[in-house]
Amino acid sequence: MVHYPSLPELKKILGGNYTICVIDWEKCLYRDFGNGFNVEISGCSRANRKGAATLYLWYGDDGPASIIVETVRGVGRSAEEIGAAVDNLYAHSQWLLANGYDNRDKLFNLKHNI
């Protein structure tokens, strides 16, 4: 039988860079990349732990001034799969910064092909 870790277990396995916080009335894992981007890991607090997680790469942390840059759906609930997906989002955030996408307006324009 496959064990799907609880939210606290995932946080412990993934390490000290992660916190548990409430986002849109749901307990989520959260990691601030320290570069203006952060990731929200949703779907891990469900009683049915077999469901997939959804990851949101955000730019900014000030409510209406923030923007979702990328959404990754269907991520397996293991710490390995979540950790790998977060690593990919971190690399993407670094690529965005290296290519001049360093504010909300530029990211909005990129996301909407403006």
Side-chain angles (χ1 to χ4, degrees):
M1 184 168 143
V2 176
H3 171 72
Y4 295 95
S6 68
L7 193 61
E9 288 171 329
L10 281 170
K11 179 190 175 305
K12 184 177 180 181
I13 295 166
L14 290 167
N17 291 328
Y18 292 82
T19 59
I20 296 174
C21 58
V22 176
I23 301 173
D24 294 335
W25 301 283
E26 177 193 359
K27 283 186 180 179
C28 299
L29 282 174
Y30 172 86
R31 180 174 169 191
D32 186 337
F33 290 149
N35 62 2
F37 291 88
N38 57 76
V39 66
E40 167 191 350
I41 303 156
S42 175
C44 296
S45 65
R46 295 187 202 117
N48 174 6
R49 296 189 193 138
K50 294 179 184 177
T54 302
L55 282 65
Y56 301 94
L57 178 64
W58 288 87
Y59 179 80
D61 58 7
D62 183 27
S66 301
I67 184 172
I68 295 175
V69 177
E70 187 169 334
T71 303
V72 181
R73 300 183 196 293
V75 176
R77 290 285 301 282
S78 71
E80 294 79 17
E81 289 178 76
I82 290 171
V86 170
D87 289 345
N88 288 338
L89 289 173
Y90 176 74
H92 184 59
S93 74
Q94 293 294 85
W95 181 90
L96 288 166
L97 290 170
N99 287 279
Y101 297 103
D102 57 359
N103 67 51
R104 186 190 187 287
D105 291 340
K106 290 177 183 177
L107 289 162
F108 181 89
N109 291 342
L110 174 68
K111 184 174 180 177
H112 298 286
N113 298 314
I114 297 174

